[in-house]
Amino acid sequence: MTAKKITHAAPTKTATKKSIPPKASVKKVINKKEDIGLPLSVVIRRRIEAQKARFHANDNIAAFINPGELDALVDEVSEKMQAVLESLVIDTRNDHNTRSTSRRVAKMFVQEVFNGRYVDQPTLTKFPNVSRLNELMIIGPITVRSACSHHLCPIMGRIWIGVLPSKESALIGLSKYCRLTEWVMCRPQIQEEAVVELADMLEKKIKPIGVAVVMEADHFCMQWRGVKDRDSKMINSVMRGSFLKDSNLRREFLALIDRK
Ligand SMILES: [Zn+2]
């Protein structure tokens, strides 16, 4: 069975998302006396709450983390992961396979698969559109590795990005589309929200006439657990600006991306 869910997300303003204030103003509020002795996660959480910012699974909280603190966060997650293994009644002391599992998993979460929550957005060099390009550009397929917020199961897929630059657009290097995608996807995500987040970011950075994002992915929470349907995929698309208004442009984009 191939369950394909096609969603055309209308342009949405992420108004519910409180914007995170500039780093400088936040990173000054560090090491307060009353924070001494508290777990680092609690201290970070207090900084976020003081700024009334959001810290959902797919939010980036780098502005609230000081240099060097990620290592301490790995230590804390590792300790709690060890408690999970103990609650699962696994003999981590005598089982050589699981002896260092808690630390491996903590490092994998903080430094790899959820790292997009904890590090700043990759710096993007912008080039002025000197040749005044205003033709459709397609980037992809970009490999997507993420995890679902519901089960923390892997999401593996591909993304295609379509950009119709304006003569005034700032263009970014091709590899930067991959780095931005990775930064958004290396967080516990919900596919529908991930594509919208990526489209928002591209609109803000490039200021194009139109932007389109199509994502197709396997959700391991459907394959490894639950309905155990190996072939089901989820497909989402977000169309903005000219891709929304101009059906010919949309058709051209969708015909040019090769999803086979
Ligand atoms: Zn799931």
Side-chain angles (χ1 to χ4, degrees):
M1 189 196 104
T2 312
K4 287 194 173 168
K5 182 179 169 192
I6 302 190
T7 327
H8 279 281
T12 45
K13 286 270 170 311
T14 40
T16 47
K17 205 165 192 170
K18 299 234 172 73
S19 63
I20 291 172
K23 278 180 278 183
S25 63
V26 182
K27 286 198 175 168
K28 280 177 199 150
V29 220
I30 52 165
N31 304 329
K32 288 202 217 149
K33 243 195 216 131
E34 60 265 35
D35 290 343
I36 294 167
L38 289 175
L40 177 59
S41 62
V42 176
V43 176
I44 296 172
R45 194 188 177 111
R46 284 185 170 185
R47 292 176 197 153
I48 300 173
E49 283 167 346
Q51 303 288 327
K52 296 188 167 54
R54 213 181 76 164
F55 54 109
H56 290 187
N58 56 4
D59 287 328
N60 177 279
I61 56 165
F64 304 95
I65 298 172
N66 294 310
E69 284 185 341
L70 276 193
D71 291 338
L73 203 60
V74 170
D75 293 340
E76 187 184 330
V77 175
S78 169
E79 247 170 63
K80 291 181 174 163
M81 209 52 229
Q82 180 61 29
V84 171
L85 293 172
E86 279 161 24
S87 296
L88 289 169
V89 202
I90 293 173
D91 181 3
T92 58
R93 199 178 310 168
N94 294 304
D95 173 9
H96 56 279
N97 293 322
T98 54
R99 203 169 294 148
S100 310
T101 295
S102 58
R103 182 143 201 99
R104 271 193 295 266
V105 173
K107 281 171 94 172
M108 176 182 76
F109 282 167
V110 177
Q111 298 173 353
E112 296 177 90
V113 297
F114 302 151
N115 192 245
R117 300 193 75 230
Y118 307 111
V119 298
D120 288 320
Q121 183 178 306
T123 43
L124 306 175
T125 326
K126 292 188 202 167
F127 309 101
N129 189 357
V130 274
S131 334
R132 310 210 142 218
L133 302 170
N134 60 351
E135 304 289 336
L136 171 61
M137 261 170 54
I138 298 175
I139 304 101
I142 300 171
T143 304
V144 167
R145 295 180 200 89
S146 194
C148 77
S149 294
H150 299 146
H151 305 92
L152 303 186
C153 280
I155 298 174
M156 304 292 281
R158 300 180 297 169
I159 271 187
W160 290 263
I161 296 169
V163 176
L164 191 71
S166 79
K167 289 180 176 117
E168 286 74 37
S169 285
L171 301 178
I172 59 173
L174 278 186
S175 64
K176 301 297 180 185
Y177 290 93
C178 304
R179 297 204 52 204
L180 264 187
T181 304
E182 193 184 10
W183 185 65
V184 170
M185 293 300 163
C186 280
R187 306 172 195 178
Q189 274 290 6
I190 295 300
Q191 185 168 331
E192 302 91 308
E193 293 179 12
V195 284
V196 169
E197 203 172 333
L198 190 59
D200 283 343
M201 206 178 306
L202 292 169
E203 267 195 314
K204 219 166 105 192
K205 296 277 159 204
I206 309 172
K207 300 192 169 50
I209 304 171
V211 72
V213 178
V214 168
M215 175 169 168
E216 175 194 84
D218 291 330
H219 287 242
F220 284 41
C221 56
M222 299 260 288
Q223 302 178 354
W224 185 33
R225 55 160 297 287
V227 292
K228 300 196 175 82
D229 185 346
R230 275 202 51 212
D231 297 323
S232 74
K233 282 190 191 308
M234 185 171 178
I235 303 168
N236 280 80
S237 76
V238 185
M239 302 286 160
R240 298 277 172 82
S242 48
F243 286 92
L244 198 63
K245 287 174 231 144
D246 180 351
S247 57
N248 287 329
L249 177 68
R250 192 163 60 236
R251 241 195 313 272
E252 188 187 347
F253 168 69
L254 292 172
L256 284 170
I257 65 173
D258 182 11
R259 290 204 295 99
K260 269 175 251 119

